[in-house]
Amino acid sequence: MKLSGIYSDGMVLQRNAKVALRGQCEGGGQTVRVVFRGVTCYADADPGGNWEVTLKGLEPGGPDELVITAGDEELVLRDVWVGDVWVLAGQSNMELPVRRTLDLLAEEIRGLNLPMIRQFAVPQSYDFHGPREDLDGGAWIPATPEGLLGFSAAGFFFAQEIHKRYSVPIGLIQTAVGGTPIEAWMSEPTLRRIGGYEATLEQCKDDAYVRDTRQRDEERNDRWYARLNEADAGLREGWHQAEGDASGWSEFEVPGSWAESELESLRGAVWFRKEIEVPAAMTEGDAQLALGTIVDADDTYVNGVLVGNTGYMYPPRRYTVPQGVLKPGRNTLAVRVITTHNTGSFIRDMPYKLKAGGHELDLSGPWKYRVGAVTEPLETQTFFHYKPAGNFNGMIAPLRRYPIAGVLWYQGESNTGRPAGYTELFRDMVRDWREVWGIGEFPVIAVQLANFGPEGDQYTDWAELREEQRKGLAVPRTALATAIDLGEYNDLHPQDKKTLGQRLALCARRLAYGEAELVASGPLFARMEREGEALRLHFTEVGGGLTTRDGNELLGFGICGPDGAFVPAEAVIDGDTVVVRHEQLKRPVHARYAWSNNPAQANLVNREGLPAFPFTTEA
């Protein structure tokens, strides 16, 4: 007997819904019996062995057993719960696991044991030939100390809030894949109707093309690393060993970028070494080594022992140094940094330290470095998960018979290169998904992109994408949680997913759980009036009133005249409106708020502390 992978031990079924349970048995014509909570349902398998029953009116609770019998075969699903099921979709900031937030949130999760919250990670699979019927594999994992670190951080903190308020089991179905554009999550018919995707859709239907491309990518990567390792003098001569002599090496200030040194154009391997004095108290147990974030990859050694390695640029380097590796007195750290195609860097404003036994050693400052090998850049590979329609077919379509309460959507970073038209893509994706599930206009709650990048830069691609996301609120039964104040300028993956989860939960409480009077978001631009030499901006979602986050003057507004050139505006709060002006503009035309990739100074909030959404009054 076979079931889709999502029907398995520990699953959470959607309460008060028609739950279709579908499977296959060996041979057609058999009668299948399903027993759940004392209710028995029957179905006759078709000639191919396919059968389906519908469970109705399920009340929240558990755990229970679900027993399926066909002929002499019996299948028992254990630890089954009924509650609310939410899909977690998008790219890496939704996928980001709890373990990647521990610098900030370790105390928040210490000792947590919430087995009525469960997550099912959909196997990451694409298909370009059409929607799949079932999922192969996957497991429901409870939010116990053993499983929690692998949960989507945004999803878990959302579920924690909902579970705490409504006391129902929460099932999370994670379908996020890092780096994916929205088109990967849309159906082929919709993409063909939009136009412009036909060539890629046809190309990816060619299995030989996909297979050969993947094989070439793998072989090219293997050759590149083989040449690098063969050429690397550091590997041949053991530069990672504790007793090595680095007295003749050059000096480099950590953290820092290769862009500020002779290494700027280097692609290959550079070795870094630092000697530190370790007190005896730090050697009596495991130690924790933090090396910020490194571009692109690293192998990290302590006293000649490899304690960790990371193959790409984004994850924070947090490595455990096992007891016995450190010794009292002088110790040697060695880091082999591999730059594949980016300019290398130890990212600034991140922790560089060694912690153990209640002590902490600062590792920033001068290190010694020496070039191990120089190579050509590594050509980037083809990611088929990024291609149009693939993830929709492989990861969304197989869920269509599994009823849900709604969707949380955190995506957009991979569309910032072409923000125009994202509103329409979002609208069409939501329509696709609602048609697939066929359960009406279920809530879709999106996350507006966090602030990111150097403050003061004039780049606005992320601001333009945020505006497209704001306009997406025109889609019925959607909500938007802003993260404009939760970002980190130097990290694409900000760690404060707890505040984000709480904001998502506020949106869900109003949109999905009927708390109509709840203040669920920050101020949202509604309309503009011209008043002589000023513009008056009206807002909804003002809650208890408009104010500033820090009690200081209102910042983050821009204004332009007929020439369209924006300048910083003087802005004051007047009741539930904001009045903006500039002394040199006699005929103001448009206003903007928080209009940059990282508008860190923008400080308009409502009295509930929820930040205003970035916007422009331009059409």
Side-chain angles (χ1 to χ4, degrees), residues 201-483:
L201 288 167
E202 289 303 316
Q203 185 180 48
C204 290
K205 289 180 185 295
D206 183 348
D207 292 337
Y209 162 74
V210 174
R211 181 188 64 247
D212 293 347
T213 300
R214 294 181 60 180
Q215 182 176 340
R216 283 195 301 271
D217 284 352
E218 183 177 347
E219 291 174 350
R220 183 175 64 247
N221 284 4
D222 289 345
R223 288 194 302 270
W224 191 90
Y225 277 99
R227 291 195 300 269
L228 174 71
N229 293 340
E230 183 179 3
D232 191 345
L235 291 180
R236 292 197 307 271
E237 299 173 13
W239 294 354
H240 65 287
Q241 297 293 343
E243 61 273 11
D245 180 12
S247 59
W249 293 21
S250 301
E251 194 168 279
F252 188 92
E253 193 76 13
V254 173
S257 170
W258 279 216
E260 301 162 5
S261 74
E262 63 178 351
L263 303 174
E264 180 168 0
S265 61
L266 183 143
R267 303 297 180 263
V270 182
W271 291 78
F272 294 81
R273 287 174 62 94
K274 187 177 183 69
E275 292 188 357
I276 56 174
E277 289 292 324
V278 176
M282 295 185 69
T283 67
E284 297 172 357
D286 291 351
Q288 300 301 316
L289 176 63
L291 288 177
T293 297
I294 300 174
V295 181
D296 288 296
D298 72 285
D299 299 315
T300 296
Y301 302 83
V302 176
N303 291 331
V305 177
L306 181 68
V307 297
N309 59 345
T310 304
Y312 63 110
M313 63 185 289
Y314 292 116
R317 273 47 171 188
R318 308 293 183 267
Y319 300 139
T320 297
V321 182
Q323 183 177 2
V325 174
L326 288 175
K327 58 186 180 180
R330 187 179 70 87
N331 291 255
T332 301
L333 308 180
V335 182
R336 182 196 189 210
V337 178
I338 299 170
T339 50
T340 55
H341 56 281
N342 294 299
T343 298
S345 181
F346 291 93
I347 299 296
R348 289 189 173 91
D349 295 328
M350 288 189 169
Y352 292 83
K353 59 184 66 176
L354 180 69
K355 299 173 65 175
H359 296 264
E360 182 175 294
L361 296 180
D362 183 7
L363 302 179
S364 61
W367 287 56
K368 296 289 188 176
Y369 79 90
R370 185 177 178 185
V371 175
V374 178
T375 69
E376 76 286 354
L378 174 60
E379 185 179 339
T380 57
Q381 68 184 84
T382 302
F383 292 99
F384 284 99
H385 273 296
Y386 299 178
K387 299 298 184 180
N391 293 343
F392 174 87
N393 291 334
M395 299 177 67
I396 298 302
L399 301 174
R400 59 187 175 271
R401 291 183 178 85
Y402 204 90
I404 60 175
V407 169
L408 306 183
W409 174 251
Y410 194 164
Q411 191 279 334
E413 296 93 337
S414 290
N415 285 86
T416 55
R418 51 190 191 287
Y422 185 90
T423 301
E424 289 73 24
L425 292 173
F426 174 74
R427 176 199 63 203
D428 291 342
M429 186 203 74
V430 171
R431 182 185 297 129
D432 273 347
W433 289 25
R434 286 173 172 169
E435 289 178 355
V436 161
W437 262 279
I439 55 175
E441 292 186 342
F442 54 74
V444 177
I445 304 171
V447 178
Q448 193 182 45
L449 293 185
N451 49 312
F452 175 66
E455 185 180 353
D457 271 7
Q458 299 304 305
Y459 296 112
T460 61
D461 49 349
W462 283 50
E464 293 165 22
L465 196 285
R466 292 187 196 109
E467 178 70 355
E468 294 283 320
Q469 292 177 311
R470 185 182 70 87
K471 292 178 179 178
L473 287 170
V475 179
R477 298 268 294 161
T478 61
L480 189 62
T482 188

Side-chain angles (χ1 to χ4, degrees), residues 152-171:
S152 158
F156 169 74
F157 287 112
F158 163 84
Q160 184 183 35
E161 289 293 308
I162 298 299
H163 174 65
K164 179 171 61 177
R165 183 160 188 86
Y166 302 109
S167 300
V168 297
I170 302 295

